[in-house]
Amino acid sequence: MATGRTHRPATRSRGIPEATVARLPLYLRALTALSERSVPTVSSEELAAAAGVNSAKLRKDFSYLGSYGTRGVGYDVEYLVYQISRELGLTQDWPVVIVGIGNLGAALANYGGFASRGFRVAALIDADPAMAGKPVAGIAVQHTDELEKIITDNGVSIGVIATPAGAAQQVCDRLVAAGVTSILNFAPTVLTVPDGVDVRKVDLSIELQILAFHEQRKAGEDAGHDDEESDDARAVAAREARRAVREVREAAAKGAPAADAPAGASDRKGPDGDVPAVMPA
Amino acid sequence: MATGRTHRPATRSRGIPEATVARLPLYLRALTALSERSVPTVSSEELAAAAGVNSAKLRKDFSYLGSYGTRGVGYDVEYLVYQISRELGLTQDWPVVIVGIGNLGAALANYGGFASRGFRVAALIDADPAMAGKPVAGIAVQHTDELEKIITDNGVSIGVIATPAGAAQQVCDRLVAAGVTSILNFAPTVLTVPDGVDVRKVDLSIELQILAFHEQRKAGEDAGHDDEESDDARAVAAREARRAVREVREAAAKGAPAADAPAGASDRKGPDGDVPAVMPA
DNA sequence: ATGTCTTTGTGAACGCGTGCACAAAGATGG
DNA sequence: CCATCTTTGTGCACGCGTTCACAAAGACAT
């Protein structure tokens, strides 16, 4: 789900299922809201509604943490807040570095959600010498040269990468080499890391593309299909199309019999009728 | 996975599994990179490595789209780029509005990944009258009052919410009422939407908390456990703790026998020894 | 043509996550 | 102390997603 390489079977060590871990922050947020309103206890049903999940699922999730509820009553809000915080490791604070102080990096640095929840921005790092010394969100940006020293001196184990895609892997390698073992990656690249390092990815354009897919299907279901055929017909068309492509390539090979034909952007042909709209990365 | 409310059994209509859809953008990115290097064909093994997934999974994913490969050779890069683009609905461009032009909203507006991949920022909307008219990323910010008109005039069906948590649900409701059916939510709240509307959530602090969990476990596995007991012991302790909480509450009830005791931040007590560090939302 | 070699496409098994439904636990009232 | 009522905790079944492993398909050489 997160790691680019690590084929971890998720939950291994007799711990909490990964899916549950991913929901704990959700519960914590809902509970904190209740806590602020001084609500003493909450039932699984109520809390589940607040967190937007099924109540049975919530109870099962909590059962992995231990039996923290009282039958007939519900859960003690304050106590549960503490237990979840503890389970998530939020009772200590984690120094975090943000690498790549562009628009996004600066926005992250200014994001209030960090400091308030056990995370402390230990440093902002950027490769641009012109940025060095400039304050962002009240913290002076430091140059990439200092990266290793910053990590070591502050005991940083969590790094946030907000650089352009091209620099991400290199930055990642340096972070890992310096001792970082958890990375939150905003760059649109697959990061390769050694075992034992966790990577989570946040990718805006991927999210949008997933939405676009569903959006298109909604539109396609309502109206008559313009560029979409039935599933069976599509499979057949696909097979024909593949054949067409092959023939084109063979013809090309005849024309230029030498090595592998550098079939650039020239001989592409939309077998489904219209010209394929290929867009850059 | 995404929707806060919609209990969609994922894949329903004989289409492509949700998990596969989520990976298509990944494949597309890897393929686009290959395309730029004019690589004509690619095997499932190579492409899988580039996308950071299992090759069998990749082949199965592609099999849902149709038979686009050639046995003994691999997949035609250009053709596959087109097919995936088409499947994801990226052959048309989607007008998108961003609501909430703070640090994050501005960063999103400036993000290049939008325009280059079939998405067009149709408008930037903010509730602050002082922002109105100010250009961000070359686009003049418009006031929230114009929201409905903007959506309708531009035929916007995808909205991005980058407002503070408090305003998110209200903005969401207005977007949906105006015709938006897909929402990308950056605000740390659970959004409630009617059926047929897709919501995907991006939550920075949740991602960090998940990382913190794993980070803590890594630390706990190496060194002697400081605040973590064995799983069995923990369950027992939990039960004892719960009992302690109950007794406290009973005592409190005796002291102030009236209605529900407003157990604010005063009578909380860390049953595991130390004081619970409860942090704000 | 025929055989060999590569790579796809997929049947089948397995494991995780989800949700139902219910028994056990405890609160509450008499 | 007993009965009733609420809510938790969980056994169980089901479905989705992942992975293995292999047959079929096609390229390529002879």
Side-chain angles (χ1 to χ4, degrees):
Chain A
M1 193 170 292
T3 57
R5 186 92 299 229
T6 328
H7 292 303
R8 190 196 320 101
T11 310
R12 69 153 196 301
S13 93
R14 102 200 48 208
I16 297 158
E18 190 59 30
T20 295
V21 172
R23 280 187 294 268
L24 289 182
L26 225 57
Y27 302 146
L28 182 57
R29 180 175 293 155
L31 284 164
T32 308
L34 291 173
S35 171
E36 281 169 0
R37 287 168 37 208
S38 298
V39 177
T41 62
V42 65
S43 72
S44 64
E45 202 70 50
E46 293 165 331
L47 186 54
V53 301
N54 183 297
S55 70
K57 195 188 300 188
L58 179 142
R59 287 197 298 275
K60 181 149 292 190
D61 283 343
F62 286 173
S63 78
Y64 292 117
L65 308 185
S67 297
Y68 292 155
T70 305
R71 301 180 189 222
V73 175
Y75 299 90
D76 183 273
V77 172
E78 296 292 330
Y79 184 57
L80 204 45
V81 164
Y82 169 62
Q83 285 302 337
I84 295 180
S85 295
R86 178 171 157 282
E87 198 68 51
L88 286 173
L90 270 41
T91 50
Q92 55 190 292
D93 79 1
W94 299 92
V96 172
V97 296
I98 302 176
V99 186
I101 314 301
N103 284 308
L104 181 58
L108 294 177
N110 280 293
Y111 178 54
F114 280 61
S116 65
R117 255 181 282 258
F119 300 96
R120 180 172 48 85
V121 178
L124 306 178
I125 303 177
D126 198 282
D128 182 3
M131 288 289 295
K134 274 182 55 180
V136 171
I139 303 174
V141 176
Q142 296 177 268
H143 191 262
T144 316
D145 292 345
E146 316 280 344
L147 191 146
E148 284 77 10
K149 179 170 164 53
I150 295 169
I151 302 292
T152 315
D153 289 1
N154 295 78
V156 174
S157 55
I158 301 179
V160 177
I161 297 181
T163 66
Q169 182 64 57
Q170 191 180 347
V171 166
C172 174
D173 292 344
R174 287 181 64 182
L175 287 173
V176 170
V180 166
T181 47
S182 286
I183 291 178
L184 183 52
N185 179 33
F186 285 87
T189 327
V190 177
L191 290 181
T192 304
V193 294
D195 274 17
V197 176
D198 282 294
V199 176
R200 293 193 67 86
K201 184 181 49 173
V202 175
D203 195 313
L204 316 179
S205 71
I206 284 185
E207 298 300 324
L208 275 182
Q209 287 174 42
I210 295 171
L211 285 178
F213 171 84
H214 293 300
E215 199 58 41
Q216 174 181 251
R217 190 160 59 180
K218 284 178 210 162
E221 276 172 357
D222 299 343
H225 311 273
D226 191 54
D227 60 344
E228 181 150 10
E229 305 117 34
S230 83
D231 285 356
D232 291 348
R234 190 200 301 164
V236 175
R239 204 157 274 279
E240 286 171 7
R242 198 186 50 177
R243 186 155 288 125
V245 167
R246 192 185 332 130
E247 283 165 5
V248 169
R249 186 137 13 93
E250 280 165 1
K254 289 235 184 322
D260 42 342
S266 57
D267 68 342
R268 85 172 94 100
K269 168 191 167 189
D272 275 61
D274 34 284
V275 185
V278 184
M279 54 219 66
Chain B
M1 195 171 290
T3 54
R5 188 94 293 234
T6 327
H7 293 303
R8 189 197 320 101
T11 312
R12 65 155 200 300
S13 93
R14 103 202 46 216
I16 297 158
E18 189 60 30
T20 295
V21 172
R23 280 188 295 267
L24 289 182
L26 225 57
Y27 301 146
L28 182 57
R29 180 175 293 157
L31 284 164
T32 308
L34 291 173
S35 172
E36 282 169 358
R37 289 167 38 207
S38 298
V39 176
T41 62
V42 65
S43 72
S44 64
E45 202 70 50
E46 294 166 330
L47 185 54
V53 301
N54 185 298
S55 71
K57 196 189 300 187
L58 178 141
R59 286 197 299 276
K60 181 146 289 190
D61 283 342
F62 286 173
S63 79
Y64 293 117
L65 308 185
S67 296
Y68 292 156
T70 305
R71 301 181 190 221
V73 175
Y75 299 91
D76 183 90
V77 172
E78 295 293 329
Y79 183 57
L80 203 46
V81 164
Y82 168 63
Q83 284 302 335
I84 296 180
S85 295
R86 177 172 157 281
E87 198 68 51
L88 285 173
L90 269 41
T91 49
Q92 56 188 292
D93 80 0
W94 298 92
V96 171
V97 296
I98 301 176
V99 186
I101 313 301
N103 284 309
L104 182 58
L108 294 177
N110 280 294
Y111 180 55
F114 279 61
S116 64
R117 255 181 282 260
F119 300 96
R120 180 171 47 85
V121 179
L124 305 178
I125 304 177
D126 198 282
D128 182 4
M131 290 287 296
K134 275 181 56 180
V136 172
I139 302 174
V141 176
Q142 296 177 267
H143 190 261
T144 317
D145 292 345
E146 316 281 344
L147 191 147
E148 284 77 10
K149 179 168 165 53
I150 295 168
I151 302 292
T152 316
D153 289 0
N154 295 77
V156 174
S157 55
I158 300 179
V160 177
I161 297 181
T163 66
Q169 182 64 57
Q170 191 181 348
V171 166
C172 173
D173 291 343
R174 287 181 63 183
L175 287 173
V176 170
V180 166
T181 47
S182 286
I183 290 178
L184 183 51
N185 179 32
F186 285 87
T189 325
V190 177
L191 291 181
T192 304
V193 295
D195 275 16
V197 177
D198 281 295
V199 176
R200 293 193 67 86
K201 183 181 49 171
V202 175
D203 194 313
L204 317 180
S205 72
I206 284 185
E207 298 299 326
L208 276 183
Q209 288 173 41
I210 295 171
L211 284 179
F213 172 83
H214 293 301
E215 200 57 41
Q216 175 181 248
R217 189 158 61 178
K218 284 179 209 161
E221 276 172 357
D222 299 344
H225 312 271
D226 191 54
D227 61 343
E228 180 149 12
E229 304 119 34
S230 83
D231 285 356
D232 292 347
R234 191 200 301 163
V236 175
R239 204 158 275 278
E240 287 172 7
R242 197 186 52 180
R243 185 155 291 123
V245 167
R246 191 185 334 129
E247 284 166 6
V248 169
R249 187 137 13 92
E250 280 167 0
K254 288 236 184 321
D260 43 342
S266 56
D267 68 341
R268 84 173 93 100
K269 169 191 167 190
D272 275 63
D274 35 284
V275 185
V278 184
M279 55 219 64

